[in-house]
Amino acid sequence: MRPELELISDWIRPGTRVLDLGCGDGALLAYLGQHRQVSGYGLEIDTANIVRCIAAGVNVIHADLEAGLADFGDSSFDYVIMTQTLQAVRHTETLLDEMLRVGRQGIVTFPNFGFWRCRVQVALQGLMPVAKTLPYQWYDTPNIHLFTIRDFEELCRRKRIDILQRAVLDHAHRPRLGPRLWPNLLGEIALYRLGRA
Amino acid sequence: MAAQFPPDSVGLVIPQTQHFDLPLALDCGRSLTNYDIVYETYGALNPERSNAVLICHALSGDHHVAGYHDEDDPSKPGWWDNCIGPGKPIDTREFFVVCCNNLGGCKGSTGPTSINPETCKPYGPDFPIVTVKDWVRSQARLADQLGIRQWAAVIGGSLGGMQAMQWTITFPERVRHALVIAAAPRLSAQNIAFNEVARQAILSDPDFHHGRYYEFGVLPRRGLMIARMLGHITYLSDEGMRAKFGRELREGTPNFNFNFDTEFQVESYLRHQGKAFVDRFDANTYLLMTKTLDYFDPAASFDHDLSVAFHRSQAHFLVISFTSDWRFSPARSREIVQALVRAGREASYVEIPSEYGHDAFLMPIPLYHDTLRSYLTRIAREVNVHAA
């Protein structure tokens, strides 16, 4: 299992209700079901992924995140999770609000655009960065909102979102010392647990 | 010389009849003192009796869901033959598949065309209007007879999907999985309106004779035909009709005739569908089935909150809708999913892109069948059919 999923799993209280936005093939939900006895649903737009979820016995609901979470009631989940999806949606801010409306807490992960290699590519080579965590060219990337750890924390501050927990990982999803000391420079993937008072 | 059936077909099938002498109390307050249920089965029940799947039919369907009735005619398989058989999404090597003609039907189960023991004449309009809940109770009695305590799955499209939902509410412990396809939690005013026009077409046919047309040796052909034509329009989508017929004139009609003959292809198609239907379906049954649809509203007994109705369900749900279905649109299926999520039920939902309209639930659309196959493979694993 990817260390990122293990980390998320550590953050989740057993037996809770979880909504996974952009759940892909359902790996996280299957993992959480097994190790944390959570119940929940994944939202997914890609039909091939939906069929994979169904084959794996993961609850999946065909939905377009861009349409919001209107079908879900306030605080109807303990956690709303969004792994590697926030940078690929159009209405980033709305979706963050929706996450923290539907979930008592939110968990997000995203690739850090402030990673030093990205900075070098832009500053010295004059090219849009391509990295292990950002493996696309500028013209075919699904990532339409690229942002850094500092950007994200600034947004949270402005929106009065509480950062309850943070982890910064390298490209292999390992929590190394470097990323911990200089997250925005050496971290490639950021994980946050969020809440709103 | 018998015809060859395709290798992935269940082959030649023979309907069976189960007679019930125990009176069945109906929602309308009346009861049926005795009745028959005609059904078909395919595949084998495993020793644990855990691999039985119930298929529920829709408005004009019947018990003949797969395989063939006529050894010499491989052109007329059951109505969902593309989905049921060895190696098909509902794999008869894994499951014991059961489908019955519902009460009030006209294909062998007791209904308006059956003889009323009190009058020794056909019931006709005296046959009680049955509800989805009545059907589910009658199907449960059939399950008892077959020794099936719990269905591995109850599966249905349209009105059949409504039965699958009702099963999980009326007999929560008897359904492991419910597959609710192209259904709705209840009919909208527009749905009821279409049904009412269909009924009026039949009721106003001079040959209807207040439903006692059997005694006059006639059939309300025109009324039933119009009802079916109207129904057909609601089963197709605008884009599907455009693609299939466009504004094409039928063969032999090079120009407009400036009269009311059949000129457009779509007119010819609808008339054909209507006429063919009259020969295989009973008008009283059609009236009854549309009422059954109109009355369906499982939330009504639960403070009009569908999620409360689902609180008691124990089944896992798969809800499927089709993009171009406007009779029971994806939005209606999402209402079901929303209620299931609020009730905390295990549920998945897929919206299949299709231009076939409501009819899509009968079509072998690859993504649709992949979805069913994946889900049923998982059920097969659970009910452990390979243990033996």
Side-chain angles (χ1 to χ4, degrees), chain A residues 17 39-41 47-48 50-51 54-62 70-72 77, chain B residues 318 334 337-338 340-341 344-351 367 370-371 374-375 378 381:
Chain A
R17 256 166 80 83
S39 61
Y41 311 87
T47 50
I50 291 171
V51 173
I54 286 172
V58 167
N59 291 328
V60 63
I61 295 171
H62 194 167
D71 283 356
F72 301 93
F77 288 88
Chain B
L318 174 62
R334 282 200 298 271
V337 174
Q338 219 177 323
L340 289 168
V341 169
R345 295 282 76 85
E346 305 283 333
S348 287
Y349 169 63
V350 190
E351 202 173 299
L367 177 61
D370 284 352
T371 303
S374 298
Y375 198 84
R378 171 193 157 194
R381 269 200 311 269

Side-chain angles (χ1 to χ4, degrees), chain B residues 133-153:
Chain B
K133 213 191 281 180
D134 292 330
W135 281 342
V136 166
R137 287 195 202 102
S138 69
Q139 290 160 355
R141 285 192 179 175
L142 179 64
D144 294 340
Q145 287 294 324
L146 296 171
I148 297 159
R149 200 195 63 77
Q150 184 191 53
W151 297 105

Side-chain angles (χ1 to χ4, degrees), chain A residues 113 117-118 121 127-138:
Chain A
F113 198 66
R117 276 182 195 279
C118 298
Q121 285 178 54
L127 293 170
M128 284 302 282
V130 176
K132 286 210 170 76
T133 54
L134 289 162
Y136 304 97
Q137 295 295 334
W138 65 272

